[in-house]
Amino acid sequence: MCIDDSPASGQNLQIEWLTETDFFPVCSASMSVELQQAPDFQCKTLLHVRSAPPSAHYPTWRQWFGEAGIMHLEPEAGPVFSEAYMALQAAMAGQGLVLGQSILVDHDMAAGRLVRMLDTPVSLRMSYYLLYPQQSQGELAFELFRTWLLDEIRLPLYGSTVSAGGQNPVLPHA
């Protein structure tokens, strides 16, 4: 059994959609006071996530700026991280802005470690799926775990009033 961002296919493999997450710029609370509008992004470092092999699902800054209708001179400039959590840690340390996934950043936003910048709606989304062998269905331990997981996914995220996959509130600047 695994949770993945692509609905892989395979013989005797059951694929179940779990949730959807959206993307938006986040940064440390200290950096957020310097960023009041989109043009302020020009003077800040953009942090990038590029997995190996590259994931077609994870959006780039170029895509985000394009959908948001914001002109940025160098959307590809800045450090590249192979894992989203590494880029988020760099953002929390004040090293730049990163495109955060709601499912990964809601807890840090609620704790004040990250602040959502610009409430600009874009269509960039990523889905997560539960993949498991079909023969697992009906096994008590599996069904209990699956039910627990589905219940947890649908709970509001870390004090948010919105469940996973919904629009997350923009936190006020610290």
Side-chain angles (χ1 to χ4, degrees):
M1 170 183 348
C2 75
I3 297 173
D4 201 352
D5 63 2
S6 63
S9 60
Q11 191 173 16
N12 298 319
L13 186 63
Q14 187 68 33
I15 302 159
E16 190 169 351
W17 181 86
L18 287 177
T19 190
E20 182 179 76
T21 185
D22 55 341
F23 290 84
F24 45 84
V26 294
C27 65
S28 67
S30 60
M31 182 179 285
S32 71
V33 297
E34 304 168 24
L35 300 168
Q36 300 303 316
Q37 52 190 328
D40 298 337
F41 284 28
Q42 296 287 351
C43 60
K44 295 298 177 190
T45 301
L46 300 179
L47 307 173
H48 305 269
V49 177
R50 294 206 183 93
S51 59
S55 172
H57 309 292
Y58 208 96
T60 65
W61 276 108
R62 181 179 300 283
Q63 290 170 308
W64 189 88
F65 284 125
E67 284 213 21
I70 299 169
M71 176 64 172
H72 194 280
L73 299 177
E74 298 183 53
E76 305 300 326
V80 177
F81 297 86
S82 60
E83 297 292 330
Y85 279 113
M86 293 167 49
L88 291 170
Q89 287 296 317
M92 283 184 243
Q95 296 177 14
L97 290 139
V98 68
L99 284 175
Q101 296 184 55
S102 54
I103 200 166
L104 298 181
V105 301
D106 281 347
H107 184 262
D108 291 313
M109 288 178 14
R113 290 182 291 270
L114 290 171
V115 176
R116 180 177 180 165
M117 302 307 302
L118 301 181
D119 191 21
T120 305
V122 296
S123 67
L124 302 174
R125 305 268 188 277
M126 187 161 64
S127 290
Y128 284 93
Y129 303 87
L130 178 63
L131 291 79
Y132 54 90
Q134 287 180 351
Q135 61 265 29
S136 298
Q137 290 179 314
E139 293 179 13
L140 181 59
F142 169 77
E143 292 297 339
L144 289 171
F145 177 76
R146 182 183 159 277
T147 299
W148 171 83
L149 179 63
L150 293 174
D151 288 345
E152 288 295 310
I153 288 286
R154 285 163 180 83
L155 283 176
L157 293 173
Y158 305 107
S160 167
T161 58
V162 181
S163 63
Q167 291 298 320
N168 297 300
V170 176
L171 298 181
H173 294 287

